[in-house]
Amino acid sequence: VSVQSIGVDLSGDRAYEVRVGSGALRGVAQSTREIVGDRASRVFVVVDSGVPASHFDRLSQELSGYGFSVHSCALTPSEQMKSIETFQKVLVELGSSGHSRVDPVIALGGGVVGDIAGFVAASFQRGVPVIQCPTTLLSMVDASVGGKTGVNLRLADEGGGSKVLKNMVGAFHQPKLVVADVDVLESLDERYRRAGLAECIKHGMIAQGVQEQQGGSDHGGLLDWMIANIEGVVGFEPDVLSELVGRNTALKAKVVVSDELESTDARAGGRMLLNFGHTFGHAIETIAGLSPDATRPELAPLHHGEAVGLGMVCACRAASSVGLCDQSVGDELVELLRRVGLPSRVGGLPDSDEIVERMMRDKKAAGGALRVILPVGRGKCEIVIDPSVSILCDGIDSIRAEKH
Ligand code: GLY
C-alpha cells in the first residue's frame, strides 16, 4: 500500500483530504468512522454496477467491522439516468433505510454515480456527510474533487421533443474525504481509461496559468510531466498512474480552493478554467451518431472525455484563428491526443452554425452569456465572454474529418 495525501484546504471544517494510491480503499471504513464519530450507526453506499463486486463486498465488510449497518443501492450510469427521477429513487431508498442526519453516504463509482450520490447527500435532511470513492480515471482527477453534485434537467423544446441541460440541477456539497484507489482502474475498460486522460490533458493545458496566478507547488510543469511520462501514462503503469492522479487532483484542489463556487468572472479565470474544452465538448457530445473512429460507426456516441478532447482542439484553433495564441498550442494538443489514442477529428458533424447555435441556446436557456475558455499561450487559458460566431465556427471546422 502506497498512498499519497492531498489537502483541499477550504476554510473551517470543509477542508478535506484526497487520498490517492494503490490499496487506498482499504482505509475507507476506519476513516469514515473517525470522520462521522460514534453517533452514526448506518452507512448508505451508492454503488456503480460496473464496479467489480469484490470492491463493494470488501468495503461493506470493513464498514460492518467498524460498527455500521450497511445499506446500498446500485446504479447503472448513463447520461439518460442522470435525472431527477433517479435522484428521487435514491432518496426514497435512503429514507427507507432509516438513514439519519449523522449517517454518511459513500459513493463508489464513476462521475455519474458520484454526482447523484453527492446531490442526494446534499439534499437529504439538508445535508449529510458524503465520502467519494471514484472508480474511473475521469472521476478521480475531476468529478470527485470539488463538491459539484447534481443531475441533468430535461426540458420540452419548441419542436415537441425534449432537450437535456447537463448538470443543471444540483448543489455544492464538499465531500468529507475522497479516496482514489488506482488498483480499481485495472478493471476499467480501455476506452474509459483514455477518456479520463482527456481531463488530465485539460489540466495540463491550464496549469501554467494557474501556477502564475497562485504560486505554490509546481503545477505549471504538468503538461511537460505528461509528455515526458507519456509511455507510462498510456501503458497505465501503476506508479505513473498514481503520480498522474496525484498531480491532477492537486491541481484541481488548488483551483477549487481559489474559487470554490465558480464565482470569479475575471478574464484570468478561476474554477471556470476547468471548463476548458467543455462548452464545445458538451455541444458535440450531445450530437447523436458521432463515433471516435470513422471506420467504426458502432462506437457511437462519443464518450465525455472524447468530446472534451475534440472541444479542446476547437478552442485552440478558434483562439489561434484570431491570434490569441500560437498555432503550436493546438498542434501540441493534437499530438498529445494522438499519443493517448483520443480523436482530434470527427466525421459526420452538422454545420458549424448549428453547433454554435446549440452552444448559445443552452446558455440562453440557463439564463447566461456564453463563456468560452480559450488558450492564450502554452498551458495558459482565459475566459472569453460572448466570442464571435465566426471564431467559434473556425474552431469547429478544424475538427471535421471530411477535410482530409
Ligand atoms: N469539473 C469542473 C469543476 O469541478 O469545476
Side-chain angles (χ1 to χ4, degrees), residues 142 145 148 202 252 262 271 274-275:
D142 190 9
V145 179
K148 279 190 181 176
K202 175 193 83 178
K252 169 109 198 217
E262 202 172 301
R271 185 165 182 163
L274 298 169
N275 292 346

Side-chain angles (χ1 to χ4, degrees), residues 137-156:
L137 179 60
L138 195 144
S139 59
M140 286 183 185
V141 298
D142 190 9
S144 64
V145 179
K148 279 190 181 176
T149 73
V151 295
N152 300 332
L153 180 65
R154 186 173 289 280
L155 295 184

Side-chain angles (χ1 to χ4, degrees), residues 43-47 56 60 69-74 93-94 97 106:
V43 58
F44 192 84
V45 185
V46 185
V47 58
F56 172 74
S60 195
S69 120
V70 183
H71 302 261
S72 66
C73 130
E93 293 200 26
L94 185 70
S97 76
I106 296 181

